Amino acid sequence: MLTDVPLYVRGDLSERSTPNVPAMFMIAGHDVVQNTIRQANGTGFPDWSDADLLAEAGDGPWTARLRRHQSWYREIVLGLPPGDHDGRPVASLLPQWAVDQDPTLNFVVSDEVHAAVLQRLRLRGEGGIVEPNRLFHNLLSSQPLCFNLFGMLKWYPKELALGLSKLLDHDVDEIVDLRIEYAPRISGYRSGSAFDCYIEYRTGQGEQGFLGIETKYSEDLRRQKVSTNPAYEELIRAQPQIFRSEALQAVRQPASCQVIYNCALALKLSEDRGFEEGLARCLVLSCEADDEAQSTIRSVRACLEEPDDLLISFSYERFLDALPFSNDLEAWKEHVRVRYLDLGASS
């Protein structure tokens, strides 16, 4: 049930509300019992405006900025106190009791997104790691962000195809497959790496292509753990027509290793399944203001002989803008912007 009310509240549904719908929506005032609406904070914990007090040890400026925004979203939009980790409150976590009552809290609420989450949790053999605590409780995590984007678009393949056609500047006629947290099985190659999202498509000429997508949000890339798997360096050495010598150094660096892993995985998948040349690509999505992510992409592209054929990047803002107008998607797009991108709201 959607209205023109811009924010979200939580409370017991009134008898006038629409039955059998998720517990958080854009709603009008008569849809909840007013005295059940949870008031923000009241816990003695610093509110969302105390950025320094909300920060966790090791937070860089970008992570601290997003932690503050997600604290604002939790407190002002959801009306919830912080969750806890090892007995202490953390601004960017949802409390256990609230998730028990409403497991959709960490998602841009729609039946489609929740269905995609439950469907992926039931799957076996996809590879990758879907960690329930992170998925349902962690507001800062890029995994629920990935579900909030592609768990919705999974059900709107025509709109997704049109948006990708605009972004990629070539014909994407049909979405053939979309999987979240997917590590494809490749003969003779065991890396353990996975795409946050995998989209396989067909052009109007019948050519097959795919995008292996990395969704970046609050993660400090400099703190990533470098893999000791020799498969990556072996592939780099075996394909000098793709990787420059600098790639061997980049794959050993925390900030750039995951993007290199994705490039290696995409190359092997394309080779194994015979995708069209130039239509097997890695895509990194990040916030427009995330300078660290942009710097990482530039450094990895400098390690590739023909970067446009393998590695591309777009901002979430540009990605959403590329999607065509759809009555079914406009409220969802606005909620995504409020939840993740409109950092001015919490300034």
Side-chain angles (χ1 to χ4, degrees), residues 299-324:
S299 69
V300 175
R301 285 170 62 85
C303 299
L304 303 174
E305 291 293 347
E306 297 185 35
D308 291 340
D309 287 344
L310 183 59
L311 177 61
I312 53 177
S313 66
F314 298 108
S315 68
Y316 293 115
E317 290 88 342
R318 186 175 173 188
F319 178 80
L320 290 174
D321 288 345
L323 296 172

Side-chain angles (χ1 to χ4, degrees), residues 175-187:
I175 302 299
V176 176
D177 194 10
L178 189 156
R179 306 186 189 201
I180 298 175
E181 194 62 32
Y182 176 54
R185 294 181 180 179
I186 301 171
S187 59

